[in-house]
Structure formats: structure tokens, C-alpha cells
Amino acid sequence: MLKEAMENKYHYADYKTILSPKNGMNLYRGCTHGCIYCDSRSACYQMKHDFEDIEVKRNAVTILDNQLARRRQRGMIATGAMCDPYIHLEEELRLTRQCLEVVEKHGFGVAILTKSARITRDMDILQRINTKAKCVVQITLTTFDEDLCRVLEPNVSTTAERFAVLEACRDAGIPTVVWLCPILPFINDTEENLRGILDYCARAKVTGIIGWGFGTTMREGSREYFYKKLDEHFPGMKQKYIRTFGNAYHCPSPNSTQLSRIFKEECRKHGILYGANKVFDDIYKFDAQAEQLSMFDMY
């Protein structure tokens, strides 16, 4: 993982709940990974503080413990959709690990999404959860080229380091899913990039790949930051985006048809599940056997 001299800036805020109605969980608000395309910077999420000044949910562990104790039916707890659970601050606060211990305590499963190799620190508890209930580790991969990865995702584990996480999970018997997004038009929307990532997926024996087509999305807040970084690293690219996409939310790659064909062919060849709905159904399936195992473990 890249070693960055980075001060952990954070503040606490009071919350009454940790879980969404569908068992989604975000412990932090904000991020220090610095990905240039990050949608979580969008103004629609109404973040009232600097993005790198992390908001931490006060008493998150206690609140989660109380909420899970009241759940009548066990299932999967999902985390990582809005904020990576393994940002730099997690090394200091260990909030994600404490909440994983609560998930294990109550016999729930977990679906955890990250770009960070810090997750391997918690491999012990993830294995226990997977033995007693179910654990799915989800890793985002966008860019096969390591040098380009350090530009697009500067303060987080490189793609090769994330591939090592997938291998570690494979060897530990923990199922994995890769999020293949975003694929940035004119930057990483190449056949070489796609085949490199898919080769990693095949070698790691991932269960499925989630993608939202080949392209990216932009909104107020995230667009401005993205364009600023394009000016820094890809002179002239911002103007190309403006000419091609204007203020559109969805910005598809002109190579989408070719990349989609390769993607489907390779997934079928290696027995990798694809199609977002199918993969999500597989991730969140929590069958009776898992439920019975969880109940048995509590006695």
C-alpha cells in the first residue's frame, strides 16, 4: 500500500441509527483515498464538512449492537457503499473491526466493499463470520496499469495490492466480488486494461463482477473535483469531456460495445457471475442453513 504522510482529521457527530432499513451501514462520512472520480463528493449527499475531514458516527458500536439485538431475522450487513470502511483513520479508531465483532456476535453475515488492503488485518474475524454465517469481500478494480492507478486513486492500495487481497480471500475460503467501475472514457477504457483486470479476477477465482456499463457518472461536486484533477494530470482532457458529454450525468465510453463483448465472453469462459442484479442476489442470499448455523453458534 502507498505510504502517505497524512494527518487523520476527524470529528464526531451524533446519530440515532447505524443501519438503514435494508441493513446498509456507513461508519464514516468522507474519505482520504483521493480517488479523482469519487461520486461521494457529489453535492446531493449534503456533506457539510470538508471531504477529507472525516465525520465519525459517535457510539456507532453501541448503536449497532442495540439494533442487531432487535432484528427478528438475521441477514447480511452491507458496508462500504458511500464511504470505504478501511480509510486511513480506521488504523487509529478500528471502528470497522469493532462493528465486525458485533456482527459476528449476533450471527449476521457481512458484505464489505473496499479498495484497501487494510482489510487483511481483519481476515481472522471475516473468516469466523464466513464460517458461522456468510462473508463476501468486495474489491473495486478500475485500472490494471499501476502507474495510472496511482494517478486515479492516489492514496489507496494499488490494483496489484488489491489483487493480493482477492488471492488471500480465495485461499481463506471467503467468496469475493469485484466492482469494475468506473471505466473513464479516454483514460482507462481500453481492451488492454479490461483484459488485465479480468485476468486478475479469473486467477483469484472471484464469484462475480459488478459493473454499471463502461463509462462514468458526474454530478455537481464530483464533476468539479474530477475536472480539477484532469487539468493536473491530463492536460486538455477536461475540454474533451466537456465537448463530448456537456453536463450529462452518464458519460459512456465510445468503446462500450467492444468492451462489453469482451467482458461477457471472459466471464462466461471463467464461470464468473455478471449482471448487477444476479451478483447482488448472490451476495445477499442468506439461506436457512446459514441462519441455523448462526443460531447454533450462540449457545
Side-chain angles (χ1 to χ4, degrees):
M1 185 182 301
L2 294 177
K3 300 295 183 182
E4 298 284 337
M6 183 173 298
E7 179 185 358
N8 284 331
K9 297 181 180 179
Y10 66 97
H11 62 279
Y12 285 95
D14 292 316
Y15 283 79
K16 295 182 179 179
T17 182
I18 293 298
L19 293 177
S20 72
K22 294 186 177 180
N23 285 353
M25 176 177 72
N26 285 291
L27 304 173
Y28 303 111
R29 293 197 78 200
C31 189
T32 48
H33 285 166
C35 303
I36 73 171
Y37 51 74
C38 182
D39 177 70
S40 294
R41 292 180 181 272
S42 299
C44 63
Y45 298 120
Q46 300 180 336
M47 202 170 293
K48 304 300 183 183
H49 54 87
D50 290 341
F51 195 68
E52 289 78 15
D53 178 10
I54 308 301
E55 184 171 283
V56 182
K57 298 186 178 182
R58 197 191 314 272
N59 299 326
V61 179
T62 300
I63 296 171
L64 178 64
D65 193 18
N66 291 334
Q67 285 193 272
L68 291 185
R70 295 196 300 269
R71 286 288 198 270
R72 293 185 177 183
Q73 185 174 354
R74 294 178 180 84
M76 299 294 286
I77 305 299
T79 187
M82 280 298 299
C83 179
D84 198 305
Y86 289 102
I87 56 176
H88 300 81
L89 185 58
E90 175 63 15
E91 292 185 3
E92 176 182 340
L93 298 187
R94 300 172 70 84
L95 193 57
T96 296
R97 181 173 180 90
Q98 294 177 68
C99 287
L100 288 174
E101 291 171 343
V102 172
V103 170
E104 180 193 11
K105 169 186 171 183
H106 291 283
F108 281 71
V110 67
I112 189 164
L113 171 63
T114 184
K115 296 177 184 175
S116 176
R118 291 185 186 90
I119 192 173
T120 58
R121 177 206 66 186
D122 294 338
M123 191 64 72
D124 57 334
I125 190 168
L126 295 175
Q127 284 183 277
R128 294 200 303 268
I129 292 173
N130 194 48
T131 298
K132 300 172 183 177
K134 182 179 180 180
C135 173
V136 180
V137 170
Q138 303 166 85
I139 300 290
T140 300
L141 300 181
T142 64
T143 309
F144 181 69
D145 182 273
E146 292 289 282
D147 292 332
L148 181 58
C149 177
R150 288 185 174 95
V151 172
L152 302 182
E153 303 160 333
N155 303 323
V156 68
S157 303
T158 67
T159 302
E161 291 167 334
R162 286 176 244 172
F163 169 57
V165 173
L166 292 170
E167 289 188 304
C169 290
R170 177 200 64 201
D171 295 343
I174 297 173
T176 55
V177 165
V178 161
W179 286 58
L180 181 63
C181 58
I183 300 299
L184 302 172
F186 318 121
I187 296 176
N188 66 338
D189 59 339
T190 66
E191 178 177 343
E192 179 184 13
N193 181 58
L194 176 60
R195 289 193 182 278
I197 293 174
L198 293 176
D199 179 63
Y200 274 160
C201 292
R203 289 161 59 188
K205 299 187 184 302
V206 304
T207 300
I209 301 176
I210 292 174
W212 308 105
F214 293 91
T216 190
T217 57
M218 287 191 288
R219 293 189 263 212
E220 178 187 356
S222 61
R223 177 183 285 107
E224 289 78 4
Y225 186 81
F226 180 58
Y227 281 171
K228 175 185 174 183
K229 293 301 178 180
L230 289 186
D231 280 340
E232 289 180 16
H233 300 289
F234 305 95
M237 186 63 74
K238 178 180 76 174
Q239 288 72 25
K240 189 171 185 178
Y241 265 74
I242 292 172
R243 289 195 304 270
T244 306
F245 304 115
N247 290 320
Y249 169 67
H250 181 51
C251 307
S253 165
N255 302 326
S256 290
T257 300
Q258 175 195 10
L259 296 177
S260 181
R261 176 184 56 79
I262 294 170
F263 172 70
K264 293 176 181 178
E265 287 177 353
E266 290 300 305
C267 285
R268 293 179 187 130
K269 176 181 176 181
H270 296 287
I272 298 172
L273 193 64
Y274 67 93
N277 290 337
K278 292 180 181 178
V279 181
F280 280 130
D281 286 345
D282 188 73
I283 290 173
Y284 293 108
K285 181 181 178 182
F286 197 82
D287 58 27
Q289 182 180 6
E291 174 76 4
Q292 291 168 5
L293 288 171
S294 298
M295 292 177 66
F296 178 79
D297 183 68
M298 296 182 67
Y299 292 95

